[in-house]
Amino acid sequence: MGKIRMAVLGAGPRWMSLVETYTAHPELEIVAICDRADGYAENACAELKRIRGMEAVPYHDFEKMAKEARYDAIFIDCDPDIQVDFAVSEMDRGIHVMTEVPAAYTIEQCRSLVSAVRRNGVKYQLAEQTRYWHFISQWREMSKAGEFGQIYYAEGEYLHYEKAWDYFRNKKTGHRVWTDDPSLDKDPDYERTWRYRTFMEPIFYLPHELSPLLSITGGRIRTVSCCGSNPGQSYSGFDTRDLECALMQDDKGVIYSIRAGFTAPYGFKRETGAHWYQIKGTRKTVEWARSTEDLPKEYTLEGGWVTHPEWGCNDPNAEEPFRSAAHGGADYYPIYHFMDAILNDHQPLMDVYLAVETAAPAILAAESARRGGVRLEVPDFRKC
Ligand SMILES: NC(=O)c1ccc[n+]([C@@H]2O[C@H](COP(=O)([O-])OP(=O)(O)OC[C@H]3O[C@@H](n4cnc5c(N)ncnc54)[C@H](O)[C@@H]3O)[C@@H](O)[C@H]2O)c1
């Protein structure tokens, strides 16, 4: 098999932050990049040429790229709430697909993603990367070795404050505007972006917490309820909620508490930025540093609290390019495992079931918050 020829849909900041990391894979060739915004695909192709000497063709229209360009796989990195339709149409013509977080925004999208993978037998992977952080892998190993005893509680938060987010897009150029000024909402030349839509209900963005926690507990979320703070408190003129908090239970009875928010000022944590995690078991509790001023720690009855300054995001024994990848070394793992699945005909590590098992609880959490916190049942996509 020659190199894997890959197309990219969506050349926004996320793709630009991944270009160097992903193209470090020796078997990968990027052949086409599509973005509807003026100049983005051209810039991304120029960057690819500058970094790797690869010649990719820029496109502004997905249908045109799908018709003209020849590729084996596509990385869909556009607005996450519309990505499933692109993913399904690509899988239906035999293209391997990787998409970004969150995998889906409706239960119907979850179902259509699963059935597209089943009927086509192609590789689908979600590019969720926090599950590859070194301390998460260490906690996973501790769990496999039974060190926690019975895990009964898992907690996570993603509180990522920025003074201004890219809430609007110029309808003509496609360029986004980072602003804390709501007046563009009334300007007919601008429209709301997926970030505006997502941050109104921030719990949609919980997969970066749920994915690593589920990889440690081995559970599947069965029930969800959620409540949110009042809209429009920190960013006046915007309807965003500063925080939503979901309470969930998995098929083994483990309780999960996960919160997400993007608009109220809050400090970052050591190494993980806006992310934080905790696992409680009958024998041991572990938790990540709560700020930049403290350390990760564990508690046991015998040993009391012990800090772990050596726990970190980067695996000190990992080879390049894992070590130098963005997000504390995590960003190379998704492309590595996606390529491995294609080249060696494996089930991708973060397959479609694991992907929708992080998306569906978020979708139902948002619905629960809208309905006053009612408890909702998450479908089992492996049985549907
Ligand atoms: N895993 C992570 O840590 C992480 C971090 C940031 C973003 N993300 C995800 O990555 C994705 C992209 O994020 P971003 O910040 O770059 O978003 P963005 O909105 O800034 O960029 C998306 C790009 O897709 C393009 N696009 C949208 N619809 C299109 C269409 N129909 N045809 C062609 N181009 C189209 C837009 O013009 C835009 O340039 C999102 O799914 C986001 O959730 C993941």
Side-chain angles (χ1 to χ4, degrees):
M1 197 176 200
K3 287 195 175 198
I4 301 297
R5 295 166 60 87
M6 193 166 95
V8 176
L9 173 61
R14 179 62 180 152
W15 169 248
M16 296 310 277
S17 76
L18 289 173
V19 177
E20 192 160 1
T21 297
Y22 276 22
T23 55
H25 197 292
E27 302 301 325
L28 178 69
E29 189 184 353
I30 308 284
V31 295
I33 300 178
C34 176
D35 197 298
R36 66 184 179 190
D38 289 354
Y40 282 24
E42 288 76 6
N43 280 348
C45 288
E47 185 64 359
L48 190 62
K49 173 114 174 119
R50 188 186 71 76
I51 297 173
R52 301 283 176 210
M54 282 183 199
E55 298 273 2
V57 180
Y59 288 91
H60 299 129
D61 178 50
F62 167 73
E63 300 297 338
K64 189 167 158 48
M65 178 173 80
K67 209 164 145 197
E68 285 183 9
R70 274 185 44 247
Y71 50 90
D72 314 294
I74 186 165
F75 176 43
I76 300 181
D77 197 20
C78 65
D79 308 23
D81 52 349
I82 58 166
Q83 64 181 346
V84 170
D85 283 351
F86 294 120
V88 169
S89 77
E90 288 293 66
M91 286 192 269
D92 279 344
R93 61 188 197 100
I95 305 291
H96 305 295
V97 171
M98 184 158 72
T99 65
E100 258 294 359
V101 173
Y105 273 70
T106 65
I107 296 297
E108 291 67 35
Q109 286 182 349
C110 293
R111 288 192 205 287
S112 79
L113 211 48
V114 169
S115 58
V117 176
R118 279 190 191 151
R119 73 174 167 264
N120 293 302
V122 290
K123 310 297 178 198
Y124 166 83
Q125 183 174 266
L126 183 70
E128 200 292 306
Q129 80 280 31
T130 56
R131 58 171 38 222
Y132 305 108
W133 272 333
H134 188 48
F135 72 94
I136 295 287
S137 303
Q138 289 172 299
W139 292 2
R140 205 158 35 231
E141 291 309 311
M142 288 160 66
S143 170
K144 277 190 202 142
E147 287 185 35
F148 290 108
Q150 207 67 43
I151 294 176
Y152 58 88
Y153 181 76
E155 188 175 342
E157 73 175 28
Y158 183 23
L159 299 181
H160 186 168
Y161 169 73
E162 299 284 345
K163 186 172 178 324
W165 283 103
D166 47 339
Y167 280 133
F168 302 106
R169 181 177 355 232
N170 183 300
K171 285 183 189 166
K172 215 154 74 204
T173 64
H175 293 176
R176 293 168 304 277
V177 185
W178 272 259
T179 181
D180 58 357
D181 171 6
S183 66
L184 288 187
D185 214 13
K186 296 192 177 67
D187 188 326
D189 290 339
Y190 291 85
E191 62 188 357
R192 293 177 178 184
T193 60
W194 65 268
R195 275 218 170 76
Y196 193 120
R197 295 192 292 276
T198 298
F199 291 2
M200 277 195 270
E201 297 177 300
I203 203 66
F204 269 118
Y205 226 89
L206 66 71
H208 285 312
E209 284 27 75
L210 198 49
S211 163
L213 293 176
L214 291 177
S215 80
I216 294 164
T217 61
R220 180 187 75 77
I221 299 298
R222 280 188 55 194
T223 59
V224 180
S225 63
C226 180
C227 61
S229 58
N230 293 334
Q233 294 187 137
S234 289
Y235 273 31
S236 85
F238 290 91
D239 295 333
T240 52
R241 292 177 195 277
D242 290 327
L243 187 126
E244 284 186 314
C245 184
L247 203 56
M248 311 178 182
Q249 199 153 27
D250 75 11
D251 48 356
K252 300 178 199 163
V254 180
I255 298 165
Y256 299 70
S257 170
I258 299 189
R259 47 200 174 268
F262 301 92
T263 46
Y266 191 67
F268 275 9
K269 287 83 163 169
R270 183 181 190 263
E271 291 197 39
T272 55
H275 303 279
W276 180 83
Y277 308 91
Q278 184 192 59
I279 298 282
K280 283 186 192 295
T282 50
R283 284 203 211 119
K284 182 180 276 189
T285 287
V286 291
E287 68 170 54
W288 191 242
R290 288 186 177 266
S291 70
T292 51
E293 306 303 307
D294 65 336
L295 292 168
K297 45 193 140 344
E298 69 169 49
Y299 175 83
T300 57
L301 193 59
E302 310 77 45
W305 284 107
V306 177
T307 55
H308 280 279
E310 79 287 4
W311 284 349
C313 289
N314 243 304
D315 179 353
N317 298 317
E319 291 173 9
E320 287 299 339
F322 291 95
R323 263 218 321 251
S324 59
H327 276 111
D331 272 341
Y332 188 65
Y333 288 86
I335 191 66
Y336 173 81
H337 288 297
F338 184 50
M339 293 290 289
D340 185 45
I342 298 170
L343 290 165
N344 299 307
D345 198 16
H346 291 155
Q347 180 81 344
L349 209 60
M350 180 117 200
D351 68 10
V352 73
Y353 295 108
L354 293 179
V356 296
E357 284 166 5
T358 63
I363 293 161
L364 293 172
E367 183 182 336
S368 167
R370 267 177 247 139
R371 292 170 54 192
V374 291
R375 198 171 193 200
L376 298 171
E377 192 96 18
V378 182
D380 183 350
F381 296 97
R382 292 167 198 263
K383 289 193 182 142
C384 306

